[in-house]
Amino acid sequence: MTMTSTASRPQRSEQETAILEAARDLMASGGVDALSMRALADRVGVSATAIYHYFESKQHLVEHVVRLGFERFGEYLQHGMENYPRGSLERVHALGEAYLRFALENQAYFRVIFSIQPQPERTMADLPEGGGYHLLRQSVVDAMEAGTLRRADPDLMSLYLWSAVHGLVTLTLSCAEPPCEGECMPMSPVQLYEAFSPFIAYGIRAPASSGGHHA
Amino acid sequence: MTMTSTASRPQRSEQETAILEAARDLMASGGVDALSMRALADRVGVSATAIYHYFESKQHLVEHVVRLGFERFGEYLQHGMENYPRGSLERVHALGEAYLRFALENQAYFRVIFSIQPQPERTMADLPEGGGYHLLRQSVVDAMEAGTLRRADPDLMSLYLWSAVHGLVTLTLSCAEPPCEGECMPMSPVQLYEAFSPFIAYGIRAPASSGGHHA
DNA sequence: CCGTTAGGTTAACAGCGTTAAGTTATGTAA
DNA sequence: TTACATAACTTAACGCTGTTAACCTAACGG
């Protein structure tokens, strides 16, 4: 760490950070297609090939940005639910709403994260590592132990809830930007999520009264 | 229609069909990136620029292929559910399973259809026109009238069911090809769908016995 | 017979990811 | 102080992409 001149050239990690941030901005504006090595290099102030000293390829660079995106995603979800009591249905609900809001507020980014291009070496479990699944699973387990949720395989129920919200998100993002202002569906995605909640709640919460058989 | 020589050159519509089919095959093999004008032209046996006599741009060509894909999708869904009685829960269930199966059997194609790149002028309602939404909605309406499903806004419930299945599909497709063979989730997507069904059914079906308040 | 049109060609442009080779500056060891 | 090594960066180039322009050729209609 013997550095005599802190000025002049930026440090290795500084430049790498600058590249990552510029890449994130470009990808957030128009997806992975809006990120070209030359345009990125112009933003950072170097030539295109200089980027290859920090990242092996565009693919690796994108994966790095996606990894950072998952971390931000996870923090967003954490903030969205931490004000609701552990074990409550509201906590689970808030998690879903935060998921939805993040996707809507970072559309291009979300598109890249769930690029739908098959990512090898990626399982459903580690897909959102640091990005939410363990939060969801824990809130489900808590609510089951609190007697709020029907007893079932927590992974199964978590994946079900995840699917429902994720499906709403991806359907929304497959449509025009002002989502569903049409005649048939004059509701915002968040409103739709609220309207879905009864269906979801009926399906997952524990029976109200002490009831007969458990199927 | 005065044609003297049916041989020699293929007809306008024939060549157009050949291009569309070749484009579909390429896209099915590796998405929209696997479709290049030159590779497509080689398959058809013409030069790349000849395609521009039939389609204004690659974008228009892709949209045309997607439109045809929706029609096949719709037929697939139709076949998947028509053996179950109108108004039954099984019919709704079969529709979801057919949706899932089509997506898994035509992964690259499905990716393109729901390209997640924002399609302007596309609303949720006309997105699957000829591709399933009206089938789903009708089966929901039938089941409501038959007393099988809880009474609610049919569009709302349809969209909820659509989201749940679509979410499972898109999550699956975001992962590696052999879906979720990991330690945490050792189930196939279809098995997962079957396992979800109780949650969904509890949420949407009409109360079994004559019950108290309706929220 | 002439003009129009459909259907096709080749050449070219600008942009893409990426590689190869060369340059400059810095830091370290003899 | 010299020598080497490495980090950081450059320009030039390759093969690919979608797309445009200009040109050609066979068929049909007035």
Short mmCIF file of all heavy atoms in Angstrom, two decimals, chain B residues 110-165:
data_model
loop_
_atom_site.label_atom_id
_atom_site.label_comp_id
_atom_site.label_asym_id
_atom_site.label_seq_id
_atom_site.Cartn_x
_atom_site.Cartn_y
_atom_site.Cartn_z
N PHE B 110 -40.88 -19.14 -25.93
CA PHE B 110 -41.62 -18.46 -24.87
C PHE B 110 -40.87 -17.21 -24.41
O PHE B 110 -41.47 -16.16 -24.15
CB PHE B 110 -41.84 -19.40 -23.70
CG PHE B 110 -42.78 -18.88 -22.65
CD1 PHE B 110 -44.14 -19.08 -22.76
CD2 PHE B 110 -42.30 -18.20 -21.55
CE1 PHE B 110 -45.00 -18.61 -21.79
CE2 PHE B 110 -43.16 -17.71 -20.58
CZ PHE B 110 -44.51 -17.92 -20.70
N ARG B 111 -39.55 -17.32 -24.33
CA ARG B 111 -38.75 -16.18 -23.93
C ARG B 111 -38.98 -15.01 -24.88
O ARG B 111 -39.05 -13.86 -24.45
CB ARG B 111 -37.27 -16.55 -23.96
CG ARG B 111 -36.81 -17.37 -22.79
CD ARG B 111 -35.30 -17.64 -22.92
NE ARG B 111 -35.00 -19.05 -22.84
CZ ARG B 111 -34.74 -19.71 -21.71
NH1 ARG B 111 -34.77 -19.05 -20.57
NH2 ARG B 111 -34.47 -20.97 -21.71
N VAL B 112 -39.05 -15.32 -26.16
CA VAL B 112 -39.22 -14.25 -27.14
C VAL B 112 -40.62 -13.66 -27.03
O VAL B 112 -40.80 -12.44 -27.06
CB VAL B 112 -38.98 -14.79 -28.56
CG1 VAL B 112 -39.30 -13.71 -29.59
CG2 VAL B 112 -37.55 -15.26 -28.71
N ILE B 113 -41.61 -14.52 -26.90
CA ILE B 113 -42.98 -14.05 -26.81
C ILE B 113 -43.14 -13.05 -25.66
O ILE B 113 -43.68 -11.98 -25.82
CB ILE B 113 -43.94 -15.25 -26.62
CG1 ILE B 113 -44.03 -16.04 -27.91
CG2 ILE B 113 -45.31 -14.76 -26.19
CD1 ILE B 113 -44.92 -17.27 -27.81
N PHE B 114 -42.65 -13.45 -24.51
CA PHE B 114 -42.69 -12.55 -23.37
C PHE B 114 -41.31 -11.93 -23.20
O PHE B 114 -40.67 -12.06 -22.17
CB PHE B 114 -43.10 -13.30 -22.10
CG PHE B 114 -44.52 -13.75 -22.13
CD1 PHE B 114 -44.85 -15.03 -22.51
CD2 PHE B 114 -45.54 -12.87 -21.80
CE1 PHE B 114 -46.17 -15.44 -22.55
CE2 PHE B 114 -46.86 -13.28 -21.83
CZ PHE B 114 -47.17 -14.56 -22.21
N SER B 115 -40.91 -11.25 -24.27
CA SER B 115 -39.51 -10.84 -24.36
C SER B 115 -39.09 -9.95 -23.23
O SER B 115 -37.93 -9.73 -23.01
CB SER B 115 -39.29 -10.11 -25.68
OG SER B 115 -40.14 -8.99 -25.74
N ILE B 116 -40.08 -9.40 -22.51
CA ILE B 116 -39.77 -8.55 -21.37
C ILE B 116 -39.18 -7.24 -21.84
O ILE B 116 -39.09 -6.30 -21.08
CB ILE B 116 -38.84 -9.26 -20.36
CG1 ILE B 116 -39.71 -10.02 -19.35
CG2 ILE B 116 -37.96 -8.32 -19.62
CD1 ILE B 116 -39.04 -10.27 -18.03
N GLN B 117 -38.77 -7.17 -23.10
CA GLN B 117 -38.48 -5.84 -23.62
C GLN B 117 -39.81 -5.15 -23.81
O GLN B 117 -40.73 -5.73 -24.37
CB GLN B 117 -37.74 -5.92 -24.95
CG GLN B 117 -36.38 -6.59 -24.87
CD GLN B 117 -35.39 -5.82 -24.00
OE1 GLN B 117 -35.76 -5.17 -23.02
NE2 GLN B 117 -34.13 -5.93 -24.31
N PRO B 118 -39.92 -3.94 -23.32
CA PRO B 118 -41.24 -3.30 -23.34
C PRO B 118 -41.79 -3.17 -24.75
O PRO B 118 -41.18 -2.57 -25.61
CB PRO B 118 -40.97 -1.93 -22.72
CG PRO B 118 -39.51 -1.71 -22.87
CD PRO B 118 -38.88 -3.05 -22.83
N GLN B 119 -42.92 -3.82 -24.96
CA GLN B 119 -43.59 -3.73 -26.25
C GLN B 119 -44.58 -2.57 -26.20
O GLN B 119 -45.59 -2.67 -25.51
CB GLN B 119 -44.34 -5.03 -26.55
CG GLN B 119 -43.44 -6.26 -26.51
CD GLN B 119 -42.63 -6.44 -27.77
OE1 GLN B 119 -42.52 -5.52 -28.59
NE2 GLN B 119 -42.05 -7.59 -27.94
N PRO B 120 -44.32 -1.51 -26.90
CA PRO B 120 -45.28 -0.41 -26.90
C PRO B 120 -46.59 -0.86 -27.55
O PRO B 120 -46.61 -1.81 -28.32
CB PRO B 120 -44.59 0.67 -27.75
CG PRO B 120 -43.63 -0.06 -28.60
CD PRO B 120 -43.20 -1.26 -27.81
N GLU B 121 -47.64 -0.20 -27.20
CA GLU B 121 -48.96 -0.49 -27.79
C GLU B 121 -49.44 -1.88 -27.41
O GLU B 121 -50.21 -2.49 -28.12
CB GLU B 121 -48.95 -0.36 -29.32
CG GLU B 121 -48.33 0.92 -29.84
CD GLU B 121 -49.14 2.14 -29.42
OE1 GLU B 121 -50.37 2.03 -29.33
OE2 GLU B 121 -48.53 3.19 -29.14
N ARG B 122 -48.95 -2.39 -26.29
CA ARG B 122 -49.36 -3.72 -25.91
C ARG B 122 -49.94 -3.65 -24.49
O ARG B 122 -49.25 -3.28 -23.56
CB ARG B 122 -48.15 -4.64 -25.92
CG ARG B 122 -48.49 -6.12 -25.86
CD ARG B 122 -47.27 -6.90 -25.40
NE ARG B 122 -46.94 -7.98 -26.33
CZ ARG B 122 -46.00 -8.89 -26.06
NH1 ARG B 122 -45.29 -8.82 -24.96
NH2 ARG B 122 -45.74 -9.84 -26.92
N THR B 123 -51.19 -4.01 -24.36
CA THR B 123 -51.80 -4.02 -23.04
C THR B 123 -51.93 -5.46 -22.57
O THR B 123 -51.79 -6.40 -23.34
CB THR B 123 -53.20 -3.36 -23.06
OG1 THR B 123 -54.06 -4.20 -23.82
CG2 THR B 123 -53.13 -2.00 -23.70
N MET B 124 -52.18 -5.61 -21.29
CA MET B 124 -52.31 -6.96 -20.75
C MET B 124 -53.47 -7.70 -21.42
O MET B 124 -53.43 -8.92 -21.55
CB MET B 124 -52.56 -6.89 -19.25
CG MET B 124 -51.29 -6.89 -18.44
SD MET B 124 -51.61 -7.34 -16.76
CE MET B 124 -50.02 -6.95 -16.03
N ALA B 125 -54.47 -6.96 -21.82
CA ALA B 125 -55.65 -7.61 -22.38
C ALA B 125 -55.35 -8.22 -23.75
O ALA B 125 -55.67 -9.36 -24.01
CB ALA B 125 -56.80 -6.62 -22.49
N ASP B 126 -54.70 -7.45 -24.62
CA ASP B 126 -54.48 -7.96 -25.97
C ASP B 126 -53.16 -8.72 -26.08
O ASP B 126 -52.85 -9.27 -27.13
CB ASP B 126 -54.53 -6.83 -27.00
CG ASP B 126 -53.40 -5.83 -26.83
OD1 ASP B 126 -52.46 -6.09 -26.04
OD2 ASP B 126 -53.45 -4.79 -27.47
N LEU B 127 -52.42 -8.76 -25.01
CA LEU B 127 -51.14 -9.48 -25.05
C LEU B 127 -51.34 -10.92 -25.49
O LEU B 127 -50.68 -11.38 -26.42
CB LEU B 127 -50.48 -9.40 -23.67
CG LEU B 127 -49.04 -9.83 -23.56
CD1 LEU B 127 -48.32 -9.05 -22.47
CD2 LEU B 127 -48.92 -11.30 -23.28
N PRO B 128 -52.21 -11.64 -24.84
CA PRO B 128 -52.38 -13.03 -25.28
C PRO B 128 -53.61 -13.20 -26.14
O PRO B 128 -54.25 -14.25 -26.13
CB PRO B 128 -52.57 -13.75 -23.96
CG PRO B 128 -53.30 -12.74 -23.13
CD PRO B 128 -53.03 -11.38 -23.67
N GLU B 129 -53.96 -12.19 -26.90
CA GLU B 129 -55.14 -12.32 -27.77
C GLU B 129 -54.92 -13.48 -28.72
O GLU B 129 -53.90 -13.56 -29.39
CB GLU B 129 -55.35 -11.02 -28.55
CG GLU B 129 -56.76 -10.86 -29.06
CD GLU B 129 -57.75 -10.87 -27.91
OE1 GLU B 129 -57.63 -10.06 -26.99
OE2 GLU B 129 -58.66 -11.72 -27.96
N GLY B 130 -55.87 -14.36 -28.77
CA GLY B 130 -55.66 -15.58 -29.53
C GLY B 130 -54.64 -16.48 -28.86
O GLY B 130 -54.18 -17.43 -29.43
N GLY B 131 -54.27 -16.14 -27.65
CA GLY B 131 -53.24 -16.91 -26.98
C GLY B 131 -53.62 -17.35 -25.60
O GLY B 131 -52.79 -17.82 -24.85
N GLY B 132 -54.85 -17.15 -25.20
CA GLY B 132 -55.23 -17.81 -23.98
C GLY B 132 -56.03 -17.03 -22.96
O GLY B 132 -56.76 -17.64 -22.19
N TYR B 133 -55.90 -15.71 -22.93
CA TYR B 133 -56.55 -15.03 -21.83
C TYR B 133 -58.06 -15.23 -21.86
O TYR B 133 -58.70 -15.45 -20.83
CB TYR B 133 -56.23 -13.53 -21.82
CG TYR B 133 -56.87 -12.81 -20.66
CD1 TYR B 133 -56.38 -12.97 -19.37
CD2 TYR B 133 -58.01 -12.02 -20.84
CE1 TYR B 133 -56.97 -12.33 -18.29
CE2 TYR B 133 -58.61 -11.38 -19.76
CZ TYR B 133 -58.09 -11.55 -18.50
OH TYR B 133 -58.69 -10.93 -17.43
N HIS B 134 -58.64 -15.16 -23.04
CA HIS B 134 -60.09 -15.32 -23.11
C HIS B 134 -60.51 -16.73 -22.73
O HIS B 134 -61.59 -16.94 -22.18
CB HIS B 134 -60.59 -14.95 -24.51
CG HIS B 134 -60.16 -15.90 -25.57
ND1 HIS B 134 -58.87 -15.87 -26.10
CD2 HIS B 134 -60.80 -16.91 -26.21
CE1 HIS B 134 -58.76 -16.82 -27.00
NE2 HIS B 134 -59.91 -17.46 -27.10
N LEU B 135 -59.64 -17.71 -23.00
CA LEU B 135 -59.91 -19.08 -22.56
C LEU B 135 -59.93 -19.15 -21.04
O LEU B 135 -60.84 -19.75 -20.44
CB LEU B 135 -58.85 -20.03 -23.09
CG LEU B 135 -58.80 -20.29 -24.59
CD1 LEU B 135 -57.63 -21.21 -24.92
CD2 LEU B 135 -60.11 -20.91 -25.06
N LEU B 136 -58.93 -18.55 -20.44
CA LEU B 136 -58.85 -18.55 -18.99
C LEU B 136 -60.07 -17.85 -18.39
O LEU B 136 -60.75 -18.37 -17.50
CB LEU B 136 -57.56 -17.85 -18.54
CG LEU B 136 -57.39 -17.59 -17.05
CD1 LEU B 136 -57.44 -18.88 -16.26
CD2 LEU B 136 -56.09 -16.84 -16.77
N ARG B 137 -60.34 -16.66 -18.91
CA ARG B 137 -61.43 -15.87 -18.37
C ARG B 137 -62.75 -16.61 -18.48
O ARG B 137 -63.57 -16.64 -17.56
CB ARG B 137 -61.54 -14.53 -19.12
CG ARG B 137 -62.32 -13.48 -18.35
CD ARG B 137 -62.75 -12.34 -19.28
NE ARG B 137 -64.19 -12.17 -19.23
CZ ARG B 137 -64.78 -11.27 -18.46
NH1 ARG B 137 -64.09 -10.48 -17.70
NH2 ARG B 137 -66.10 -11.19 -18.44
N GLN B 138 -62.96 -17.26 -19.62
CA GLN B 138 -64.22 -17.97 -19.82
C GLN B 138 -64.35 -19.15 -18.85
O GLN B 138 -65.42 -19.39 -18.28
CB GLN B 138 -64.33 -18.47 -21.26
CG GLN B 138 -65.70 -19.01 -21.63
CD GLN B 138 -66.79 -17.97 -21.38
OE1 GLN B 138 -66.70 -16.83 -21.85
NE2 GLN B 138 -67.82 -18.33 -20.60
N SER B 139 -63.23 -19.84 -18.67
CA SER B 139 -63.29 -20.98 -17.75
C SER B 139 -63.52 -20.52 -16.33
O SER B 139 -64.18 -21.22 -15.53
CB SER B 139 -61.99 -21.80 -17.84
OG SER B 139 -60.92 -21.12 -17.22
N VAL B 140 -63.02 -19.35 -16.00
CA VAL B 140 -63.26 -18.78 -14.67
C VAL B 140 -64.72 -18.39 -14.52
O VAL B 140 -65.36 -18.70 -13.50
CB VAL B 140 -62.33 -17.57 -14.42
CG1 VAL B 140 -62.79 -16.76 -13.23
CG2 VAL B 140 -60.90 -18.05 -14.20
N VAL B 141 -65.25 -17.72 -15.53
CA VAL B 141 -66.67 -17.32 -15.48
C VAL B 141 -67.56 -18.55 -15.35
O VAL B 141 -68.49 -18.58 -14.53
CB VAL B 141 -67.03 -16.50 -16.74
CG1 VAL B 141 -68.53 -16.33 -16.85
CG2 VAL B 141 -66.34 -15.15 -16.72
N ASP B 142 -67.27 -19.56 -16.15
CA ASP B 142 -68.06 -20.79 -16.09
C ASP B 142 -68.04 -21.38 -14.68
O ASP B 142 -69.08 -21.79 -14.14
CB ASP B 142 -67.51 -21.83 -17.09
CG ASP B 142 -67.79 -21.43 -18.52
OD1 ASP B 142 -68.65 -20.54 -18.73
OD2 ASP B 142 -67.15 -21.99 -19.43
N ALA B 143 -66.85 -21.44 -14.10
CA ALA B 143 -66.71 -22.06 -12.78
C ALA B 143 -67.40 -21.23 -11.70
O ALA B 143 -67.90 -21.77 -10.71
CB ALA B 143 -65.24 -22.27 -12.44
N MET B 144 -67.43 -19.93 -11.90
CA MET B 144 -68.14 -19.09 -10.94
C MET B 144 -69.64 -19.34 -11.02
O MET B 144 -70.32 -19.46 -10.00
CB MET B 144 -67.84 -17.61 -11.21
CG MET B 144 -66.49 -17.14 -10.67
SD MET B 144 -66.28 -15.36 -10.91
CE MET B 144 -64.59 -15.17 -10.33
N GLU B 145 -70.13 -19.42 -12.24
CA GLU B 145 -71.56 -19.63 -12.42
C GLU B 145 -71.97 -21.01 -11.95
O GLU B 145 -73.10 -21.21 -11.48
CB GLU B 145 -71.93 -19.42 -13.89
CG GLU B 145 -71.86 -17.96 -14.31
CD GLU B 145 -72.13 -17.78 -15.80
OE1 GLU B 145 -72.26 -18.80 -16.51
OE2 GLU B 145 -72.21 -16.61 -16.24
N ALA B 146 -71.04 -21.96 -12.07
CA ALA B 146 -71.34 -23.31 -11.60
C ALA B 146 -71.21 -23.44 -10.10
O ALA B 146 -71.50 -24.50 -9.53
CB ALA B 146 -70.40 -24.31 -12.29
N GLY B 147 -70.77 -22.38 -9.45
CA GLY B 147 -70.62 -22.44 -8.00
C GLY B 147 -69.34 -23.09 -7.55
O GLY B 147 -69.16 -23.36 -6.36
N THR B 148 -68.46 -23.35 -8.49
CA THR B 148 -67.19 -23.98 -8.13
C THR B 148 -66.21 -22.97 -7.56
O THR B 148 -65.47 -23.26 -6.63
CB THR B 148 -66.57 -24.64 -9.37
OG1 THR B 148 -67.56 -25.44 -10.02
CG2 THR B 148 -65.38 -25.50 -8.99
N LEU B 149 -66.23 -21.79 -8.15
CA LEU B 149 -65.28 -20.76 -7.72
C LEU B 149 -66.00 -19.67 -6.91
O LEU B 149 -67.18 -19.38 -7.14
CB LEU B 149 -64.62 -20.10 -8.94
CG LEU B 149 -63.56 -20.91 -9.68
CD1 LEU B 149 -62.86 -20.03 -10.71
CD2 LEU B 149 -62.54 -21.47 -8.72
N ARG B 150 -65.24 -19.10 -6.00
CA ARG B 150 -65.68 -17.95 -5.25
C ARG B 150 -66.13 -16.85 -6.21
O ARG B 150 -65.52 -16.64 -7.26
CB ARG B 150 -64.49 -17.45 -4.42
CG ARG B 150 -64.78 -16.43 -3.36
CD ARG B 150 -63.47 -15.90 -2.79
NE ARG B 150 -62.57 -16.97 -2.33
CZ ARG B 150 -62.67 -17.55 -1.15
NH1 ARG B 150 -63.62 -17.17 -0.30
NH2 ARG B 150 -61.83 -18.49 -0.80
N ARG B 151 -67.18 -16.14 -5.87
CA ARG B 151 -67.65 -15.06 -6.73
C ARG B 151 -66.74 -13.84 -6.57
O ARG B 151 -66.50 -13.39 -5.45
CB ARG B 151 -69.09 -14.67 -6.39
CG ARG B 151 -70.11 -15.71 -6.81
CD ARG B 151 -71.44 -15.10 -7.27
NE ARG B 151 -72.29 -16.12 -7.87
CZ ARG B 151 -72.25 -16.39 -9.18
NH1 ARG B 151 -71.43 -15.72 -9.97
NH2 ARG B 151 -73.03 -17.32 -9.68
N ALA B 152 -66.24 -13.37 -7.67
CA ALA B 152 -65.35 -12.20 -7.65
C ALA B 152 -65.27 -11.64 -9.06
O ALA B 152 -65.85 -12.21 -10.00
CB ALA B 152 -63.97 -12.59 -7.14
N ASP B 153 -64.56 -10.56 -9.20
CA ASP B 153 -64.33 -10.00 -10.53
C ASP B 153 -63.56 -11.04 -11.35
O ASP B 153 -62.43 -11.41 -11.01
CB ASP B 153 -63.50 -8.72 -10.41
CG ASP B 153 -63.23 -8.07 -11.76
OD1 ASP B 153 -63.40 -8.75 -12.79
OD2 ASP B 153 -62.86 -6.89 -11.78
N PRO B 154 -64.16 -11.54 -12.42
CA PRO B 154 -63.49 -12.60 -13.18
C PRO B 154 -62.15 -12.16 -13.77
O PRO B 154 -61.21 -12.96 -13.85
CB PRO B 154 -64.49 -12.95 -14.28
CG PRO B 154 -65.45 -11.82 -14.34
CD PRO B 154 -65.48 -11.21 -12.98
N ASP B 155 -62.06 -10.91 -14.19
CA ASP B 155 -60.78 -10.42 -14.71
C ASP B 155 -59.70 -10.45 -13.63
O ASP B 155 -58.55 -10.82 -13.89
CB ASP B 155 -60.93 -9.00 -15.26
CG ASP B 155 -61.54 -8.99 -16.65
OD1 ASP B 155 -61.04 -9.74 -17.51
OD2 ASP B 155 -62.52 -8.26 -16.86
N LEU B 156 -60.11 -10.07 -12.44
CA LEU B 156 -59.16 -10.06 -11.34
C LEU B 156 -58.66 -11.46 -11.02
O LEU B 156 -57.45 -11.71 -10.90
CB LEU B 156 -59.83 -9.43 -10.11
CG LEU B 156 -58.91 -8.88 -9.04
CD1 LEU B 156 -58.04 -7.76 -9.62
CD2 LEU B 156 -59.73 -8.36 -7.87
N MET B 157 -59.60 -12.37 -10.92
CA MET B 157 -59.20 -13.74 -10.58
C MET B 157 -58.41 -14.38 -11.71
O MET B 157 -57.43 -15.09 -11.47
CB MET B 157 -60.43 -14.59 -10.26
CG MET B 157 -60.06 -15.96 -9.71
SD MET B 157 -61.46 -16.97 -9.24
CE MET B 157 -61.91 -16.25 -7.67
N SER B 158 -58.78 -14.09 -12.94
CA SER B 158 -58.04 -14.63 -14.08
C SER B 158 -56.61 -14.13 -14.06
O SER B 158 -55.66 -14.90 -14.26
CB SER B 158 -58.72 -14.22 -15.38
OG SER B 158 -60.03 -14.72 -15.45
N LEU B 159 -56.47 -12.86 -13.83
CA LEU B 159 -55.13 -12.27 -13.82
C LEU B 159 -54.30 -12.83 -12.68
O LEU B 159 -53.08 -13.05 -12.81
CB LEU B 159 -55.22 -10.75 -13.72
CG LEU B 159 -53.94 -9.97 -14.02
CD1 LEU B 159 -53.35 -10.37 -15.36
CD2 LEU B 159 -54.21 -8.48 -13.97
N TYR B 160 -54.95 -13.09 -11.56
CA TYR B 160 -54.25 -13.70 -10.43
C TYR B 160 -53.74 -15.09 -10.78
O TYR B 160 -52.56 -15.41 -10.55
CB TYR B 160 -55.18 -13.76 -9.22
CG TYR B 160 -54.79 -14.79 -8.20
CD1 TYR B 160 -53.60 -14.69 -7.49
CD2 TYR B 160 -55.61 -15.89 -7.93
CE1 TYR B 160 -53.24 -15.64 -6.56
CE2 TYR B 160 -55.26 -16.84 -7.00
CZ TYR B 160 -54.07 -16.72 -6.32
OH TYR B 160 -53.71 -17.67 -5.42
N LEU B 161 -54.60 -15.89 -11.39
CA LEU B 161 -54.19 -17.25 -11.77
C LEU B 161 -53.09 -17.20 -12.82
O LEU B 161 -52.12 -17.97 -12.76
CB LEU B 161 -55.40 -18.02 -12.29
CG LEU B 161 -56.47 -18.32 -11.25
CD1 LEU B 161 -57.73 -18.88 -11.91
CD2 LEU B 161 -55.94 -19.29 -10.20
N TRP B 162 -53.27 -16.29 -13.75
CA TRP B 162 -52.27 -16.13 -14.80
C TRP B 162 -50.91 -15.77 -14.18
O TRP B 162 -49.88 -16.33 -14.53
CB TRP B 162 -52.73 -15.05 -15.77
CG TRP B 162 -51.91 -14.91 -17.00
CD1 TRP B 162 -50.95 -15.75 -17.45
CD2 TRP B 162 -51.99 -13.86 -17.95
NE1 TRP B 162 -50.40 -15.28 -18.62
CE2 TRP B 162 -51.03 -14.13 -18.94
CE3 TRP B 162 -52.79 -12.71 -18.07
CZ2 TRP B 162 -50.84 -13.28 -20.04
CZ3 TRP B 162 -52.59 -11.88 -19.15
CH2 TRP B 162 -51.63 -12.16 -20.13
N SER B 163 -50.94 -14.83 -13.24
CA SER B 163 -49.69 -14.39 -12.60
C SER B 163 -48.99 -15.54 -11.90
O SER B 163 -47.77 -15.70 -12.01
CB SER B 163 -49.98 -13.26 -11.60
OG SER B 163 -50.39 -12.10 -12.25
N ALA B 164 -49.77 -16.32 -11.18
CA ALA B 164 -49.16 -17.39 -10.39
C ALA B 164 -48.42 -18.37 -11.31
O ALA B 164 -47.27 -18.74 -11.05
CB ALA B 164 -50.22 -18.12 -9.58
N VAL B 165 -49.08 -18.79 -12.38
CA VAL B 165 -48.45 -19.74 -13.29
C VAL B 165 -47.32 -19.08 -14.07
O VAL B 165 -46.23 -19.65 -14.21
CB VAL B 165 -49.49 -20.34 -14.26
CG1 VAL B 165 -48.81 -21.26 -15.27
CG2 VAL B 165 -50.55 -21.09 -13.49
#
